[in-house]
Every structure is written in C-alpha cells, then in structure tokens.
Amino acid sequence: MRLYAVVAAGGFRRYATYRIATAAGLFTNTVFGFILAYTYMALWDERPQLGGYDMSQALTYVWLGQALLATCAMMGGGFEDELMERIRTGDVAIDLYRPIDLQMWWLAGDLGRAAYQLMARGIAPMVLGALAFPLALPTSPGIWLAYLVSVTLGVVVSFAVRYLVALSAFWLMDGAGASQIAFLAGLFFSGMLLPLTLFPGLLGEVARALPWSALLQVPADVFLGKRTGWGLVQAFAFQGGWALALLLAGRLVQSVATRRVVVQGG
C-alpha cells in the first residue's frame, strides 16, 4: 500500500505543476458558475421548489457542480488518454509484466489528481459563490465529512468508468469515440446540466440509477442534507456498489486483454 500512496502523492504533485492550466480552469469554472447561477435563479423564480430544491439549495447545487466538474473528471482529462496511448503503442505490455497491480496503480494516481483538483478548483469557486449568492452551506461537521466520503466514492466510480473506456483501446485501437460517448453521458447523467430530480418519469428513474449520478447528484444531496440517517447509508451503498461492480468489470476486461497480449507476444 505504501507504493500506491507514493503514486497518489505523485499524481497530486504532477497536476500541481500545471499552475497556468489550473488558473485557467478555475477562471472558467467561476465564469460558468455565475452564468448557471443566474440561469437557475430565473428558472427557480418561475418554479419555486423545482426538483425539491429551494432557491438557495439550487444555487448551492450549481457551485457544487463547478467544484466537482474537474474533481470527478466529468469531461475527462485524467489518466485515460495516457493509458490508451500506451495500449496503442504496445507499451502497456511492459506495464502488465511489472510486479504491480495495473488498476490500483492508475487508481492511486487518479486519486492524487482528484485531491488536487478538489483543493485547487473546488474550494475557490465555492467561496466566491458563497460571497455572491445565498448558498445553503451545512453547519454540521458531520455533513461535511459525509460529503467528502461521498465525493471520494464518486471519484472512484468516475475512475472505474474511465478505466473501462481506456481498456476499450485493446480492441478499438483508438478509444476517442468511446471517450466522447462517456464524456457526453457523464455530463448529462451526472446532473451537471440539471439536477436529476428534474427528470420526469422513467427517464428520471433510469438517470438516478446509472453510475454517473454518483459523481454529482448523490454528493450534492448529501451536502444539502437530503440524505441523512438510513438515506445516507443507502447513498454510500449506491456509490460503493457501483464502484465495486465497475472495478471488478475493469479487472475482468484487463484479464482478457492481458491474455490477448501474452498470446500475441508469444
């Protein structure tokens, strides 16, 4: 485990070196936060309590989305491009023969990336949003802790989805198409555009049941105090269940790909 802790720390330091990119991303998150906030204000003026949120909760949802956009890599931008390139060039064969767990290696690095993005591009937009709008911020330390746990689980779910997308390069050679599909699905079904509680009927039920809802909708509801007691346990179970299922699926696909590499190499 010490090795993976070092890898996670390396992932944090790696992204910390791109200060200009961080500043640009922070500026973009803040600008889009203000645009979405005023859009939500107009919408909630017409439809108070829309989706079960009052105005302050809806505005808080906006800024939580901006804080978690890069943290949960809803638009990609994590390890997957590098892994797909290593698969395309064949360098992944070296990785598979190393005495490490390939999935854990990339997961550790992605957790380091997510920690940096949460600190660098998550805190500042929330502070600016709280200064400009009446946000519904928790007063209980327990809710803040539960929120951090939920965000961590969301990051693992995001990693597991992107890991499967990256492994598709073993068969597709170019995983750009799969990445674009995952990116669009992540934006829509995470609740980044609109809270999933606004989706009607069967569409809403399906959207809330898909793994992408673990990236934003579930952490936001935990932050807003809508998941407490048994509801909070169910939220963690939902995120943890998807994380486990997708990680196991990734291991299965990795195992199949490894056998293919060994056969071709032999």
Side-chain angles (χ1 to χ4, degrees):
M1 293 303 295
R2 182 179 179 183
L3 170 64
Y4 301 115
V6 172
V7 173
F12 185 98
R13 290 194 301 270
R14 177 182 180 183
Y15 280 85
T17 60
Y18 299 103
R19 298 175 184 175
I20 301 299
T22 298
L26 177 58
F27 176 78
T28 303
N29 285 144
T30 303
V31 169
F32 275 95
F34 275 93
I35 293 172
L36 287 172
Y38 284 115
T39 303
Y40 272 44
M41 288 176 68
L43 183 58
W44 260 259
D45 276 338
E46 294 295 323
R47 297 283 302 275
Q49 299 298 323
L50 184 63
Y53 302 120
D54 60 27
M55 178 70 79
S56 63
Q57 290 174 330
L59 290 171
T60 304
Y61 186 95
V62 168
W63 292 102
L64 287 172
Q66 295 307 306
L68 297 181
L69 179 62
T71 302
C72 291
M74 297 180 203
M75 299 177 65
F79 68 94
E80 57 271 24
D81 290 340
E82 182 180 352
L83 179 53
M84 283 190 289
E85 178 63 16
R86 293 188 68 81
I87 293 172
R88 188 186 68 81
T89 60
D91 291 341
V92 71
I94 300 173
D95 300 334
L96 292 172
Y97 282 109
R98 287 174 177 167
I100 59 167
D101 186 290
L102 186 66
Q103 187 183 59
M104 282 294 297
W105 174 277
W106 290 105
L107 174 58
D110 200 57
L111 288 174
R113 175 207 59 81
Y116 173 76
Q117 297 288 17
L118 181 62
M119 294 176 60
R121 292 178 58 178
I123 295 176
M126 281 294 295
V127 171
L128 292 172
L131 292 174
F133 302 97
L135 301 189
L137 301 178
T139 57
S140 169
I143 294 181
W144 285 97
L145 178 60
Y147 169 69
L148 290 177
V149 172
S150 185
V151 169
T152 302
L153 290 172
V155 170
V156 176
V157 172
S158 172
F159 164 82
V161 171
R162 289 177 289 125
Y163 190 70
L164 283 169
V165 169
L167 292 181
S168 70
F170 275 108
W171 291 270
L172 302 178
M173 293 305 295
D174 182 1
S179 294
Q180 286 295 319
I181 293 173
F183 151 64
L184 292 173
L187 276 184
F188 186 78
F189 289 112
S190 67
M192 188 67 206
L193 301 179
L194 281 172
L196 300 182
T197 54
L198 272 64
F199 289 17
L202 181 61
L203 174 61
E205 294 178 10
V206 171
R208 289 187 290 272
L210 292 174
W212 291 285
S213 67
L215 277 58
L216 172 57
Q217 184 66 59
V218 174
D221 282 343
V222 170
F223 187 89
L224 293 171
K226 294 186 175 293
R227 298 293 191 104
T228 59
W230 180 244
L232 181 60
V233 174
Q234 289 179 316
F236 289 161
F238 173 81
Q239 291 180 293
W242 267 119
L244 180 61
L246 291 169
L247 287 173
L248 289 175
R251 285 193 172 277
L252 177 61
V253 174
Q254 176 184 310
S255 176
V256 173
T258 300
R259 287 199 294 271
R260 182 183 183 189
V261 170
V262 170
V263 169
Q264 290 180 346

